[in-house]
Amino acid sequence: VGVSKQFGTLTVLENLNASIKSGSALGVVGPNGAGKTTMLNILAGDLAPSSGSVLFEGIDVTNVPSHKRSRKGIGRTSQIPRPFEGLTVYENILVGATFGRGKSRKSKSINQACAFALETTGMTAKANVVAGRLTLLERKRLELARALAIEPSVLLLDEIAGGLTEMEVHELIATIKLIRTT
C-alpha cells in the first residue's frame, strides 16, 4: 500500500498500490529500468520499500524476511535462474519443498510436492541431472518447479521467458497455463 522505493536520489517506485485477487493472473509490462523487478523484490521480501507497506492475505509483511514470506506462501522465480548447480534437479526442488514452505505444508508431503513440481514443469525426465548441465529453458523450468514445490498461494514470475526463443516461450507459456488450472 503506497509503496515507494528510492536508490539514493533515483525513485524507482512511487506510491505503488496493487491488489491481486486469489486465482487471478497479473502481468506487469514496462521497459528496462521501469521498476518491475524492484517491485517483485519488495513483494518477495528481498528488498525493503523506502515507504509504504506490503500486505499478504490482509497481514502486514513489510518487515518479514523473504524466507518467512516463502513459508507463508509467496513463491518467486528470478529473471536469471539461480539453481544449486552441483545438485540434481530433484535435489534443487527438494530444497524448495523442504525449506520454502516449512511445517505449514498445505496438503502434500514433501515428496509429493516435488513430484508434482517435476511433472507440472515437464522436468521429470531431468530429475537426476545435475542442474549445472541444464539448458536455459530447463533452468527456467527448474526455477519454476522450485517455486511450485512450496505450494505457493502467490507465484511471482520475474521475466520467466527472458532469453528464450519464440518456440521456447510458447512452451513455457503452456506450462504456466497448466499451473493455473491445477
Side-chain angles (χ1 to χ4, degrees), residues 76-93:
R76 162 88 193 273
T77 67
S78 297
Q79 60 180 287
I80 299 171
R82 296 181 282 191
F84 299 104
E85 293 196 2
L87 300 180
T88 66
V89 166
Y90 181 82
E91 291 165 338
N92 268 272
I93 296 168

Side-chain angles (χ1 to χ4, degrees), residues 113-181:
C114 290
F116 172 78
L118 283 166
E119 183 178 333
T120 303
T121 59
M123 292 297 287
T124 304
K126 300 286 184 176
N128 294 317
V129 174
V130 174
R133 295 186 177 170
L134 298 175
T135 66
L136 178 60
L137 175 60
E138 292 166 342
R139 285 172 181 248
K140 297 268 188 177
R141 287 184 179 279
L142 172 56
E143 187 87 3
L144 183 56
R146 195 170 51 201
L148 274 181
I150 74 162
E151 298 178 281
S153 302
V154 172
L155 182 58
L156 306 172
L157 307 176
D158 191 0
E159 294 194 33
I160 190 74
L164 300 178
T165 66
E166 185 175 346
M167 189 161 76
E168 291 171 333
V169 169
H170 289 294
E171 286 179 35
L172 201 54
I173 289 171
T175 299
I176 294 166
K177 286 179 179 179
L178 175 63
I179 290 166
R180 288 205 65 224
T181 61

